Amino acid sequence: MKNIRPYPNDSLSFHIDIVNNTRAENKANNQRILSSIKMKFDEHEILHNTNNLHLNEAHGFIDPEKSSLKKLYKYSRTQIQQLMLSLTTDERNRRRNTCPNCTINSINSFDHFIPKEKHPEFSVNPKNLIPSCTVCNGLKGEDWVNESKTSTIFLNMYTDILPNRQFLFIENIVISPNEIDFNFKIDNLFGIEETMFRKIKHHYTELDLLSRYRIESDIVIPDFIRDFSMYRDEVSLAMRIETIKERVLLDQVSYGFNYWKAILKLSLLDNEEFIKYFG
C-alpha cells in the first residue's frame, strides 16, 4: 500500500475534453451545466489539496443532467485509459500495475473515491479517480465519510499520506516442518495519529485485507521457503538472511512500508522455529 501522485494538470480541462468527445445530446446536456461543474471542481481542488474532502457537499444534480454526467465515465474511453497510464507510470518510466488499495491484484478499474451516484459532478474528475482492482472497488461501496461527516473513512491514496510506521503485524505464528499458521492483525503500537489509524483500520476491515492476505500467503510461503533454503550449503545463514532483508527493503520502497509480503517475510525471518526448520 503506497501513495500515488495525483493528476498534475487541470482537472476541469480533463472533464471538458471528455465532454467534447461525447455524443451530441450528452455533449449538449453537459455543456449547459459547465459553470456549475467549474464551481464544484474549484471547491474539490481546494478540499483535495487540504485533505478535507469530507466537507464536499453534493451539488444535487437530477436527471437528465445526472445521467449525462455519469455517462461521461467509461473505463474504455481513451482519455480514461491515458489517465490510467499516466498515474501508474513512475518517475523512472516503469509501470506500477498493482492495486494500491490491497497490493494483491492487478489494477483493472478506477475507484470513484467520492461515489459518482451521489456526486455525478465528479464522474470524470481525475483527482477523484483512483486506480484499483475490481475486488477492492466492489468492496468499498458507496459510503465514504463517517456519520458525523468529520472524516473520510477509506484511505485516499492521493491525499492521505501513509505513515512510515508499522501498523500491520503477524500474530499467533505456529510453525512445524509441514505447516505454517498465523494471522495478520492491525495495531497502533508506534503512535500513529488516531484519526489516521481509524481510517487505516476501517480501510483494512471493509476491504477484507487481513483475510485476503492470509489466503494469498499460502501461495507466497512455499516460494519464500525455497528461496531461503537455496544455497544453504554454500552460503551462511546470516548472509542469506541479510540478502533477503535487503530484497524486502526494496519491496517496501516499491509497495509501501506496510507491504504485506514484506511484513510476512520479516516476521518469519525473526521466528526461531522458522529458522530451525528451514534455515
Side-chain angles (χ1 to χ4, degrees), residues 170-226:
I170 304 294
E171 66 174 356
N172 301 327
I173 302 179
V174 178
I175 298 179
S176 70
N178 301 314
E179 182 181 13
I180 298 178
D181 196 20
F182 57 91
N183 292 310
F184 285 93
K185 73 170 183 176
I186 297 291
D187 205 346
N188 191 6
L189 301 182
F190 297 107
I192 298 170
E193 190 272 326
E194 192 58 38
T195 300
M196 170 60 79
F197 183 71
R198 282 199 302 269
K199 195 177 297 188
I200 290 169
K201 193 169 184 178
H202 186 274
H203 187 99
Y204 273 70
T205 300
E206 294 302 311
L207 300 187
D208 198 25
L209 293 183
L210 301 184
S211 295
R212 291 166 64 191
Y213 291 160
R214 181 62 189 87
I215 292 169
E216 293 295 322
S217 295
D218 289 337
I219 301 172
V220 172
I221 288 174
D223 290 340
F224 178 59
I225 291 174
R226 186 186 65 246

Side-chain angles (χ1 to χ4, degrees), residues 100-265:
N101 286 310
C102 65
T103 58
I104 297 174
N105 301 322
S106 296
I107 294 169
N108 53 11
S109 69
F110 270 114
D111 166 49
H112 289 78
F113 186 78
I114 301 178
K116 65 180 182 295
E117 182 60 36
K118 296 179 181 178
H119 297 258
E121 57 268 27
F122 301 136
S123 291
V124 291
N125 184 320
K127 291 183 179 177
N128 190 47
L129 300 175
I130 299 181
S132 178
C133 69
T134 52
V135 176
C136 289
N137 205 344
L139 289 170
K140 180 170 171 282
E142 294 292 312
D143 294 330
W144 67 286
V145 293
N146 59 13
E147 291 184 2
S148 59
K149 295 186 178 180
T150 57
S151 175
T152 56
I153 56 177
F154 286 94
L155 293 168
N156 185 309
M157 295 305 164
Y158 297 142
T159 61
D160 289 315
I161 305 304
L162 297 171
N164 281 325
R165 301 179 188 178
Q166 188 174 352
F167 54 76
L168 180 64
F169 298 89
I170 304 294
E171 66 174 356
N172 301 327
I173 302 179
V174 178
I175 298 179
S176 70
N178 301 314
E179 182 181 13
I180 298 178
D181 196 20
F182 57 91
N183 292 310
F184 285 93
K185 73 170 183 176
I186 297 291
D187 205 346
N188 191 6
L189 301 182
F190 297 107
I192 298 170
E193 190 272 326
E194 192 58 38
T195 300
M196 170 60 79
F197 183 71
R198 282 199 302 269
K199 195 177 297 188
I200 290 169
K201 193 169 184 178
H202 186 274
H203 187 99
Y204 273 70
T205 300
E206 294 302 311
L207 300 187
D208 198 25
L209 293 183
L210 301 184
S211 295
R212 291 166 64 191
Y213 291 160
R214 181 62 189 87
I215 292 169
E216 293 295 322
S217 295
D218 289 337
I219 301 172
V220 172
I221 288 174
D223 290 340
F224 178 59
I225 291 174
R226 186 186 65 246
D227 291 344
F228 180 56
S229 302
M230 193 179 297
Y231 308 120
R232 65 197 306 176
D233 295 330
E234 294 87 8
V235 181
S236 70
L237 175 62
M239 182 62 72
R240 283 184 286 128
I241 291 175
E242 180 181 349
T243 299
I244 289 178
K245 286 187 174 181
E246 288 175 354
R247 293 177 191 167
V248 168
L249 179 60
L250 292 176
D251 283 343
Q252 288 178 303
V253 171
S254 296
Y255 300 107
F257 188 81
N258 285 275
Y259 180 43
W260 66 276
K261 289 184 182 179
I263 299 299
L264 172 60
K265 292 175 182 179

Side-chain angles (χ1 to χ4, degrees), residues 1-111:
M1 185 172 293
K2 189 177 180 182
N3 289 112
I4 306 173
R5 293 176 301 166
Y7 183 70
N9 302 321
D10 182 60
S11 297
L12 185 62
S13 297
F14 183 87
H15 174 98
I16 292 172
D17 183 40
I18 291 179
V19 168
N20 289 337
N21 285 277
T22 57
R23 294 179 179 179
E25 180 180 357
N26 203 50
K27 180 178 179 180
N29 286 339
N30 279 289
Q31 287 178 332
R32 279 198 301 271
I33 59 175
L34 189 56
S35 60
S36 296
I37 295 299
K38 182 181 185 307
M39 179 183 68
K40 292 303 296 180
F41 269 48
D42 287 345
E43 177 185 318
H44 183 278
E45 186 73 11
I46 293 170
L47 297 177
H48 178 277
N49 291 342
T50 57
N51 199 13
N52 284 304
L53 288 173
H54 58 280
L55 298 177
N56 227 315
E57 295 289 342
H59 179 280
F61 286 110
I62 59 174
D63 288 334
E65 289 82 6
K66 180 177 181 178
S67 294
S68 294
L69 285 166
K70 289 170 64 179
K71 286 178 183 177
L72 293 176
Y73 179 79
K74 292 181 181 177
Y75 185 64
S76 60
R77 194 182 291 281
T78 299
Q79 294 91 336
I80 298 296
Q81 287 299 304
Q82 289 173 341
L83 175 65
M84 179 65 82
L85 179 62
S86 171
L87 294 175
T88 57
T89 301
D90 68 16
E91 59 277 3
R92 297 182 181 179
N93 204 34
R94 296 178 300 186
R95 287 296 304 277
R96 296 293 187 186
N97 200 41
T98 303
C99 174
N101 286 310
C102 65
T103 58
I104 297 174
N105 301 322
S106 296
I107 294 169
N108 53 11
S109 69
F110 270 114
D111 166 49

